[in-house]
Structures are given as C-alpha cells and as structure tokens.
Amino acid sequence: MIPEGALSLDGLVVAVILGMAVLTYLTKVGGLWILSHLEVSDRLEAGLSVLPGAIVIAILGPELASGGPAEWGAAAVVVVIAWRTDNILLALCGGVLAVVVFRGLG
Amino acid sequence: MVNRDESREDETEIPADETEPPEAETTVIQQESPVTFSLEGLRVGFLTCIPVALGVAGYGIAFGVIANQAGLSVAEATLMSATVVAGASQLIAVELWADPIPIAAILFATVAVNLRYSLMGAALEPWFRHLSPAKVYGSLFVMADENWALTIRDLQAGTGRGAFLLGSGLAIWSLWVFSTVVGALAGDAVGDPARFGFDFILAAVFLALAVDLWDGRSTLVPWLVALATALVASAYVPGRWYILLGGLAAALLEVIRYDS
C-alpha cells in the first residue's frame, strides 16, 4: 500500500525543511516579541488598533480584484449573510455554494 | 464587540476637562474583559475552526500532490507540513524545488511570504499581553491566516478566550498534516481544489471578519488606505508584500493622525 521510498528522509532535504520551519516560526513570533519588549505608547496603541481591519482589507482587496463576477457575487452573499446572521459557518457555506453556482453559470 | 462610538457616548457624562483622547478609552475598554487560557477556550477554538480546516485540507491534498511530484518523499512532505505550518510558503517552496535544491531561494521566499505573520501576531498583542510567554509563543506556532482571522473575531467580541488561537490552530494543523499525507500518497489522482469552491474559503473567512470589524466611520479612512496600498503594491511588488505594506500604511497613518 505504501509506495517504495515514501518513508525516506534525505539529510539535506530535512535540513532545508527545518530551516524553513525555524524562519517561519520567527516571522510568526517576531512582531509580538518586539512589541512585548517595547514601551507601547498611546500613539503606537492607536496604530495597532487599526491593524486587524487593515490586514483583512489588504488581503481581501487584491484577492477579490483578481477574481471575476462570480467571486464578487459570492463575496456579496458572504457579506449579507455575515451581516444579517453573524454566523460564520452559514456565511462560509453560503459563499462557497454561491461561488460554485456562479462559476457554473458563467 | 467593542464599540468605539458607544464608549464615547458613555463618556460624555464626564466633565469635558477630564476627557482623554478617544483612542486611550478604547484601550481601557478592551482590557476590561480578562483574557484567560482555558480548556473551554481551546475546545471552542478547535470546533469553530473545523469547517475552515476542512477547506484548508483541500489545499493540503494539493500540496501533498505537488510535493510528491517535486521529488519529496511522503515523509519529507509530511515533515514540512508538521513543522512549517504555512500553506502559501510551502506551496512556493515545492514549486521552487529542483536538483540541486535552490536553498537560498527557498529560504528567502519563505521569509518574504511569511513576514505578514509578524504583523498579524502583533495585532494579537492587546489580548496576548495577559498570557504567559509559553502560552503565547506556543500558540503562535500554529497561527495561519484562517485561524488568525477567526481568533481576532472571537477576541474582538470580548470572549477573553486566550486559548482560541491554539485550539483553532490545532484543528488546522491536524487536518493540514493529514491531508498532506493523503495528497502525497494519492499522487495525480486528485483534482483541482477550486472545483469545489475551496479556493474561495479564505476570502469568505476574511469577508465575514471584515463585517465584524467594521466599526462605523472611524474605520473608513484606515481601510481605504490599506486597500489602496495593497492594490498598488500587489501590482508592482512580487510575492505577498502587499499584505504587510497595506497593514503598515494604515497603522502608520493612525500613528501620525493620533494627536490631531
């Protein structure tokens, strides 16, 4: 069932993978680590308070811009469901269903 | 959810000479609900994230297939998913994979693609400052885009569930690793995840979060700045720098505007 060589681990490959793992972990903890070793002023706090929304929009903008009418329509479905019901699961299912249907129509 | 406008109305009862800058009030209110690290929080995070993690698993299968085609063994692909836990950078790494391995290019791409996580982690600081370093730095290991979004959504609602990131991250981690094994074993037999609309799940999670984070007109300017910066940067800067640049631009503007 298990193909030949499936369990083989090459030394260099493992080293590269662990290098990626360490670097990725450093990016995940880096921002918070710096903040926890800084005296966070009210001014900096004000900047941090807009980060969640700003990151969300920075991810969504180009993501939706690269899509077409099917994705935009499905995005509208997600926003309406999330806004009216505040239920993330319902919004997710509605959006995925909508994108499949709209792509089928197009 | 912390409502900045409401908090301002509450404060109007206080004589004008005692009022502080509005941003400082928001901070105080966010700190009011204690952040705890409980098994219950872990459980809620895990269960909330299951549907999202199932979508992520669609990509885990795709990653396993591509890693296998690139020459990684099942064990190597699985090791990468278990230790790196960052889908986009893993997909790029196996796309770059060749013989000999372009080590510098792979490691550089990994940092470039994942640097956005520094900013996302920093956004968790108002809540995570109440937790011990072991809990914080352990939880961040399993932080991915999707469960970061769900966690921000939960903490913004004032639940104080400090273990939500770890719980939701474990849901993603286990399905990500499992689906990598499936994909690496299945080889070419698997189709494109876009066929089932899986590629839209990330956008859907972030759209639902945006609806939650919308806080009236005070949100408008930073969001427009983030949007404009990200759109311009995505057109001219390779990789995923646009996320970092969009977030930084909005935060920087807010820092500059602070005392005006």
Side-chain angles (χ1 to χ4, degrees), chain B residues 47-71:
Chain B
L47 293 177
T48 308
C49 196
I50 292 270
V52 174
L54 286 172
V56 168
Y59 280 88
I61 291 174
F63 167 74
V65 171
I66 296 167
N68 192 254
Q69 288 165 350

Side-chain angles (χ1 to χ4, degrees), chain B residues 62-150:
Chain B
F63 167 74
V65 171
I66 296 167
N68 192 254
Q69 288 165 350
L72 274 78
S73 71
V74 178
E76 288 159 352
T78 309
L79 179 71
M80 194 190 284
S81 282
T83 60
V84 179
V85 211
S89 65
Q90 287 180 234
L91 278 163
I92 289 167
V94 293
E95 296 280 359
L96 290 171
W97 215 270
D99 191 21
I101 304 170
I103 299 171
I106 287 173
L107 294 182
F108 181 79
T110 302
V111 173
V113 173
N114 289 336
L115 211 52
R116 70 182 188 285
Y117 285 132
S118 283
L119 214 57
M120 296 165 93
L124 291 166
E125 200 271 342
W127 300 282
F128 275 25
R129 70 166 71 128
H130 304 289
L131 303 177
S132 73
K135 286 164 184 160
V136 169
Y137 294 117
S139 299
L140 286 171
F141 176 71
V142 289
M143 179 175 75
D145 297 307
E146 292 86 354
N147 69 315
W148 173 83
L150 293 176

Side-chain angles (χ1 to χ4, degrees), chain A residues 28-29 31-33 35 45 48-49 51-52 55, chain B residues 30 35 117-131 135-136 139-145 147-156 161-162 164-166 168:
Chain A
K28 288 185 182 180
V29 301
L32 196 70
W33 186 86
L35 273 188
E45 191 89 49
L48 290 175
S49 71
L51 266 188
I55 295 171
Chain B
Q30 277 181 353
V35 176
Y117 285 132
S118 283
L119 214 57
M120 296 165 93
L124 291 166
E125 200 271 342
W127 300 282
F128 275 25
R129 70 166 71 128
H130 304 289
L131 303 177
K135 286 164 184 160
V136 169
S139 299
L140 286 171
F141 176 71
V142 289
M143 179 175 75
D145 297 307
N147 69 315
W148 173 83
L150 293 176
T151 303
I152 286 282
R153 190 174 179 271
D154 191 72
L155 291 172
Q156 284 270 351
R161 286 192 276 252
F164 192 101
L165 183 71
L166 182 61
S168 55

Side-chain angles (χ1 to χ4, degrees), chain A residues 3 5-6 8 10 17 20-21 24-25 27-28 31-33 42-43 45-47 54 56 58 62 75 86 89 92 96 103, chain B residues 51-52 73-76 85 110 114 118 121 129 136-137 140-141 143 153 194 199 206 209 212 242 250 254-255 258-259:
Chain A
S8 73
D10 178 81
I17 289 171
M20 286 176 65
T24 301
Y25 182 68
T27 64
K28 288 185 182 180
L32 196 70
W33 186 86
D42 286 351
R43 178 182 282 270
E45 191 89 49
V56 167
D86 202 30
L89 184 56
L92 274 184
V96 169
R103 280 173 185 167
Chain B
V52 174
S73 71
V74 178
E76 288 159 352
V85 211
T110 302
N114 289 336
S118 283
R129 70 166 71 128
V136 169
Y137 294 117
L140 286 171
F141 176 71
M143 179 175 75
R153 190 174 179 271
D199 58 318
F206 277 84
L209 176 61
D212 264 8
Y242 64 88
E254 211 60 19
V255 167
Y258 180 64
D259 56 359

